[in-house]
Amino acid sequence: ALAGGVALGASYSRGALIGAAVAIATILYVSFSGRIRQKIAWLLVAAVVVVAGSVYVLRDSEFVANVILHDSPTTGAMIDSNTAHVDSLAKGVSLVATKPLGSGIGSTGSASLTGNKPLIIENQYLFIAHEVGWVGLLLFVWLFVEIMKRLWISKKSFLALGVFASGLGIAVIGLFLPVWADDTVSIVWWGLAAVGIGSMELGIQKMTKGKKKHDS
């Protein structure tokens, strides 16, 4: 947790902060029940309001402008990151709407920088749709939802719950960044999801075999 917190702070990534908050809130909410869960829900709502209000009030301070808003006039940049995110989103929507079949693997992201038409789309879902089309995006969403459903069924396992919560966080990060394009994130998350689901399936098989032996 300490190492993760240090890495999270050093990343200066707002998407990562939001994703981590979603994951932690999910774990807290699922881990408790009854009145405690209601109290946690209200505390989370209050925390969101306090954080949002603090950012608004302190928006002109050096720390908030640099670390949170990424919009400091002292950097000398012609276009701030917020404007770049909005422009990228608008361009991505336009391209996906005009090319429903996609433009092919490698037409987006870092791979496209080696070609004649470099394109950066800072949204994972538009990223996928631009490369493999609307059908490809639907297949990806279907696969992700199926994996999340199976992890939810096994939420009593700390591994399954952790992967489920982090999956929600990553899904949120995908709204701001093409997070699945990072090899480390993809290999670790999908690999752990496979272990969590596989462990559940193996446990069910053992229980079924044991029951059959007992009945016989």
Side-chain angles (χ1 to χ4, degrees):
L2 179 61
V6 171
L8 188 63
S11 72
Y12 279 78
S13 171
R14 293 170 296 182
L17 285 171
I18 295 172
V22 170
I24 293 171
T26 300
I27 291 175
L28 290 175
Y29 188 78
V30 174
S31 298
F32 297 95
S33 60
R35 294 182 179 179
I36 297 179
R37 178 180 290 181
Q38 293 179 355
K39 290 181 180 179
I40 290 175
W42 282 111
L43 286 173
L44 292 174
V45 172
V48 171
V49 172
V50 169
V51 171
S54 300
V55 170
Y56 179 78
V57 172
L58 302 173
R59 63 188 182 280
D60 294 327
S61 66
E62 183 177 355
F63 175 81
V64 173
N66 276 304
V67 178
I68 306 300
L69 300 180
H70 292 189
D71 186 20
S72 175
T74 61
T75 60
M78 295 295 294
I79 301 176
D80 63 86
S81 65
N82 299 315
T83 302
H85 273 291
V86 174
D87 292 343
S88 174
L89 182 62
K91 188 174 183 179
V93 170
S94 176
L95 290 172
V96 169
T98 56
K99 295 185 178 181
L101 298 180
S103 300
I105 301 297
S107 61
T108 316
S110 57
S112 69
L113 299 179
T114 61
N116 298 323
K117 296 181 179 180
L119 175 65
I120 301 298
I121 298 179
E122 296 181 323
N123 179 291
Q124 181 63 70
Y125 310 103
L126 294 176
F127 184 106
I128 295 172
H130 183 267
E131 288 200 338
V132 293
W134 299 353
V135 175
L137 176 60
L138 289 174
L139 287 173
F140 173 80
V141 172
W142 168 79
L143 175 62
F144 181 72
V145 171
E146 281 296 316
I147 294 297
M148 292 292 282
K149 284 169 59 178
R150 298 192 183 195
L151 289 169
W152 176 255
I153 293 173
S154 304
K155 62 182 179 295
K156 290 184 178 181
S157 163
F158 74 90
L159 174 60
L161 177 58
V163 179
F164 175 84
S166 62
L168 288 180
I170 292 173
V172 173
I173 296 173
L175 296 173
F176 312 103
L177 295 169
V179 62
W180 292 118
D182 186 282
D183 295 341
T184 305
V185 174
S186 295
I187 292 172
V188 170
W189 192 87
W190 290 100
L192 288 175
V195 172
I197 295 173
S199 299
M200 177 191 69
E201 296 291 342
L202 182 61
I204 292 174
Q205 290 179 8
K206 288 183 177 180
M207 289 177 61
T208 303
K209 290 181 179 179
K211 185 177 180 181
K212 287 181 178 179
K213 289 182 179 179
H214 181 269
D215 293 340
S216 60

